[in-house]
Amino acid sequence: MENIAMSEAVYDATVDVAIIGAGPSGAVAAALLRKRGRSVLVLERQHFPRFSIGESLLPQSMAYLEEAGMLQAVVEAGFQFKNGAHFVRRGESSAYDFRDKHSEGWGTTYQVERAAFDQILIGCAAKAGADVRFGHTVRAMKTGDTPELDVADEAGNAYRVHARFVLDASGFGRVLPRLLNLEAPTRMPVRSALFTHVLDRIPAGATDRDKIVIGVHPERSDVWFWMIPLARGRTSVGCVAQSAFLDVPEGERDATLRELIRSEPTIGALIGDAPFCMPARHIGGYAANVERLHGPGYALLGNAGEFLDPVFSSGVTIALRSAHLAVQVLESHLKGDTVDWTSGYDKPLRRGIDTFRAFVERWYTGELQDIIFHKEQSDSIRRMISAVLAGYAWDETNPFVAQPARRLDALHQVCAATAAK
């Protein structure tokens, strides 16, 4: 898909909603707002297509793509089909099929190359009538009932955007948290990821390409690997650990990642010496948080507000859920109704984030790993766990969503007692 062109001249703009960032949350929010007849301007600092991680979607995200009118474009793009997750640890194996789950809704999705996926989404938003400007950086914001953005293009041409509301969908760029000093401490330890794409050359039938593989380091349960089969014979592979474990000079990253891949028996056997498609990349300190997800004249979507950890691929699903919830509240706001962003957006979004958080924290302490690899798993409980892993972290008919920490802790005690017999 070609880049979306903007007009030759850059002018001040007055719109209903200005969106900072053209990633998944920004694109879906823009499309949903256009379906409601709102004027939308999307400001993106980078140029698309551009590389991004977060390649393994969760089935829950499909509902939001469908709501935004993007599903057909995604389905027809030829991405790798996904129906579950396969966990491996020191010879143990446990696979979850997301079609067999507690919650109603999609049980399948895709594993995507984000450069293509993100461009498809923002292309759909532009086709729906959103004004999308690439290479434009938001430099300042005036908050309030009539927010204003100071923007500059790559040539240094400055202009001002007047909006009735601003959505920050800038992801790891975290534009408004930086400009407005919104950052808050995160409860997650500082971790890093070292990753690349490979030409996998995996023989047909050697692995289930319809599932992400999550492997645990043979000696350290807090270090894990991902293997995400993509379309056209490529696979995304990476390692996540506390930052000091992956703190190597740039020139040693390829060798370090290769050695780590070989250390996990299942992934090592499948990937082995497969050639890297690009030098190993490093990203660190990605966990982030803010005190509030909204303020006078603005709201934060997706990673611009809070990012937990990549282990359960929750990032894109949280981003799309945030766009869905924010647009519902924003539409009432734009109609002149009195709205409560805390009860209508912040708290509902954080309920699902807190569900994922409980799972992520217990993955790293080992309790969730013990549950996942337990030999005698109840079918009903397994379906409840599968539903959360599939992204249904807001379905409070699931006991592991309604009380995630208490239920997981109790279940781990049962698993530990059974294993000790």
Side-chain angles (χ1 to χ4, degrees):
M1 180 183 290
E2 296 181 357
N3 271 339
I4 302 157
M6 57 163 287
S7 60
E8 293 183 3
V10 177
Y11 300 103
D12 289 358
T14 299
V15 293
D16 289 327
V17 183
I19 299 176
I20 307 170
S25 63
V28 166
L32 292 175
L33 288 164
R34 287 298 303 143
K35 290 180 75 172
R36 291 161 171 79
R38 302 300 178 181
S39 57
V40 179
L41 171 62
V42 181
L43 301 163
E44 169 58 51
R45 178 177 59 85
Q46 295 182 301
H47 289 272
F48 283 25
R50 53 88 177 97
F51 183 86
S52 180
I53 59 172
E55 299 147 318
S56 192
L57 306 182
L58 300 183
Q60 168 74 95
S61 64
M62 300 293 278
Y64 306 124
L65 297 176
E66 187 172 28
E67 179 188 18
M70 299 172 171
L71 186 59
Q72 181 177 348
V74 171
V75 169
E76 293 178 350
F79 294 122
Q80 169 64 46
F81 184 75
K82 175 186 176 182
N83 63 22
H86 182 200
F87 297 89
V88 292
R89 181 184 71 173
R90 295 187 288 276
E92 299 175 287
S93 177
S94 180
Y96 282 78
D97 188 325
F98 294 158
R99 295 166 295 187
D100 185 16
K101 64 185 188 313
H102 168 86
S103 302
E104 296 291 330
W106 286 83
T108 61
T109 185
Y110 295 98
Q111 300 185 148
V112 302
E113 293 186 59
R114 284 287 301 279
F117 177 74
D118 289 8
Q119 178 133 8
I120 287 170
L121 299 197
I122 196 60
C124 289
K127 187 176 180 180
D131 179 1
V132 182
R133 300 181 182 181
F134 292 104
H136 288 236
T137 300
V138 174
R139 302 191 299 188
M141 178 180 177
K142 188 193 82 171
T143 62
D145 294 336
T146 56
E148 297 177 2
L149 298 175
D150 289 337
V151 187
D153 67 10
E154 292 170 316
N157 298 309
Y159 63 99
R160 182 159 293 178
V161 173
H162 303 264
R164 298 174 63 189
F165 205 85
V166 175
L167 295 175
D168 185 355
S170 59
F172 292 123
R174 299 178 63 76
V175 171
L176 292 189
R178 288 188 295 102
L179 293 177
L180 303 178
N181 297 316
L182 304 175
E183 301 283 7
T186 174
R187 289 158 43 187
M188 308 303 294
V190 179
R191 296 190 177 93
S192 299
L194 194 61
F195 58 94
T196 190
H197 284 184
V198 302
L199 293 172
D200 59 58
R201 299 174 180 172
I202 298 174
T207 188
D208 184 354
R209 295 189 73 92
D210 295 345
K211 291 180 173 63
I212 183 176
V213 178
I214 297 176
V216 181
H217 190 278
E219 298 174 359
R220 295 187 50 164
S221 61
D222 65 331
V223 177
W224 62 275
F225 306 86
W226 78 71
M227 190 184 87
I228 304 172
L230 302 169
R232 295 170 285 278
R234 293 166 69 101
T235 288
S236 174
V237 61
C239 178
V240 175
Q242 291 201 22
S243 293
F245 187 80
L246 298 176
D247 186 15
V248 298
E250 185 174 352
E252 298 177 15
R253 288 175 183 170
D254 280 11
T256 299
L257 182 56
R258 180 71 71 185
E259 182 180 357
L260 286 166
I261 291 170
R262 289 171 175 158
S263 73
E264 202 298 304
T266 299
I267 296 177
L270 292 169
I271 299 299
D273 297 323
F276 288 4
C277 300
M278 61 185 184
R281 300 192 181 198
H282 178 275
I283 182 173
Y286 41 71
N289 194 14
V290 290
E291 291 292 346
R292 294 195 308 164
L293 295 174
H294 63 92
Y298 68 87
L300 310 178
L301 306 184
N303 297 346
E306 181 168 6
F307 181 77
L308 296 174
D309 191 89
V311 64
F312 299 123
S313 305
S314 61
V316 173
T317 296
I318 292 172
L320 300 190
R321 176 75 175 187
S322 71
H324 164 83
L325 288 172
V327 168
Q328 289 182 322
V329 180
L330 180 52
E331 179 62 15
S332 294
H333 171 85
L334 294 174
K335 289 179 178 178
D337 298 337
T338 300
V339 299
D340 183 343
W341 279 90
T342 298
S343 62
Y345 174 65
D346 194 315
K347 288 183 178 179
L349 182 62
R350 287 190 192 269
R351 278 198 289 271
I353 294 174
D354 287 343
T355 298
F356 282 124
R357 189 196 317 279
F359 275 65
V360 168
E361 290 174 343
R362 285 154 183 79
W363 169 265
Y364 283 105
T365 56
E367 285 104 330
L368 184 58
Q369 294 181 30
D370 292 343
I371 291 170
I372 286 173
F373 292 106
H374 190 65
K375 299 302 182 184
E376 300 175 14
Q377 299 185 16
S378 157
D379 288 342
S380 61
I381 292 178
R382 185 177 176 83
R383 284 193 290 271
M384 295 173 189
I385 300 293
S386 181
V388 175
L389 297 179
Y392 292 90
W394 291 268
D395 176 14
E396 297 198 15
T397 68
N398 185 344
F400 289 88
V401 172
Q403 297 176 311
R406 189 175 77 82
R407 291 284 183 172
L408 287 172
D409 291 345
L411 179 59
H412 180 256
Q413 289 179 1
V414 172
C415 291
T418 304
K421 290 182 180 180

